[in-house]
Amino acid sequence: MLKTKDLYDLTHTRAASILENTEYPWEALAKIKDFIIELGKTLPKDEFDEVSENVWIAKDAKIYPNNYIGAPAIIGHETEVRPGAFIRGSALVGDHCVVGNSTELKNVILFDNVQVPHYNYVGDSILGYKSHMGAGSITSNVKSDKLLVVVKCGDERIETGLKKIGAMLGDRVEVGCNSVLNPGTVIGRDSNVYPTSCVRGTIPEKSIWKNNGTVVAKK
């Protein structure tokens, strides 16, 4: 369940070409910046404006005032970037997404139809198709001891070699309000996280993470 092919339908992202060559999705994190710069140069000029150096925004995207979009970044078709959004750079945002008020993005891939609409922090993370983060939910991307992130799944431990990894959300994941996803969290497709949860490790697909950390299969 940790592998890219088990988490994502790659037909719903412009990042398919870098993700399809990974075994685990976090292997793509170091490639996002350069990939955006090269991809941006190939985007059709009748569909995207390069509004500043290495920042491409679809002509039909809705960009509200009072936000910041740093390079490199791509904002897809019919995506909304709402007031107070802080896109720090290395952000590949898909089509029909919502980047909400006071939401911060850094080194991320958001598949199509992703919603991070209210007071979210998403860093060094990949959010799958139609995934949604409730108000105030965040990805924590650096361990408190500053050691390299290890992804854990049962007795399996995968050394990532990376200091910064947020969360890998599979397609159609729902994260409840005011939840914290700790570094290296992986959530399988179609799973839910209760509000105010502190999540670490992995959640299988089609499961529910409850407030006390109990994981149950969806019925």
Side-chain angles (χ1 to χ4, degrees):
M1 64 150 287
L2 300 177
K3 296 186 177 182
T4 303
K5 63 182 178 65
D6 298 323
L7 292 166
Y8 304 113
D9 178 351
L10 298 184
T11 65
H12 293 293
T13 178
R14 292 183 176 84
S17 62
I18 60 168
L19 286 169
E20 67 188 4
N21 293 317
T22 64
E23 182 176 13
Y24 301 109
W26 54 84
E27 295 169 3
L29 292 176
K31 305 174 184 178
I32 293 174
K33 179 178 180 180
D34 290 339
F35 179 77
I36 291 173
I37 293 172
E38 293 307 310
L39 176 61
K41 297 173 183 177
T42 70
L43 294 173
K45 296 185 184 302
D46 61 336
E47 296 181 22
F48 287 83
D49 293 321
E50 186 174 6
V51 297
S52 59
E53 186 177 8
N54 294 329
V55 175
W56 293 270
I57 299 177
K59 294 178 184 291
D60 56 358
K62 187 169 185 178
I63 310 299
Y64 289 81
N66 302 319
N67 55 57
Y68 174 83
I69 304 176
I74 294 173
I75 309 297
H77 290 295
E78 297 185 354
T79 284
E80 291 187 19
V81 179
R82 294 175 176 171
F86 180 30
I87 300 177
R88 287 168 51 187
S90 299
L92 177 52
V93 181
D95 300 336
H96 312 289
C97 292
V98 177
V99 180
N101 60 298
S102 303
T103 288
E104 181 178 348
L105 303 180
K106 190 273 290 187
N107 199 47
V108 295
I109 296 170
L110 272 54
F111 278 53
D112 299 339
N113 297 83
V114 168
Q115 294 190 349
V116 283
H118 312 287
Y119 308 104
N120 305 110
Y121 172 70
V122 186
D124 301 287
S125 298
I126 299 174
L127 276 54
Y129 175 61
K130 286 191 174 180
S131 60
H132 170 258
M133 295 186 67
S137 60
I138 66 169
T139 64
S140 174
N141 60 339
V142 180
K143 294 174 62 177
S144 59
D145 57 14
K146 307 301 188 292
L147 297 179
L148 302 181
V149 176
V150 177
V151 175
K152 301 174 183 178
C153 182
D155 294 331
E156 185 177 11
R157 293 169 55 89
I158 301 175
E159 304 281 349
T160 69
L162 299 173
K163 183 179 178 181
K164 294 186 177 183
I165 299 180
M168 306 290 124
L169 272 57
D171 296 335
R172 299 174 298 277
V173 164
E174 290 281 341
V175 178
C177 297
N178 291 319
S179 293
V180 176
L181 309 181
N182 284 279
T185 294
V186 181
I187 304 179
R189 288 173 169 167
D190 300 297
S191 287
N192 293 56
V193 173
Y194 270 22
T196 70
S197 294
C198 181
V199 182
R200 64 182 67 252
T202 57
I203 302 176
E205 65 177 31
K206 298 180 181 177
S207 298
I208 300 172
W209 173 289
K210 299 189 174 184
N211 292 120
N212 60 2
T214 301
V215 178
V216 299
K218 283 186 175 180
K219 296 181 180 179

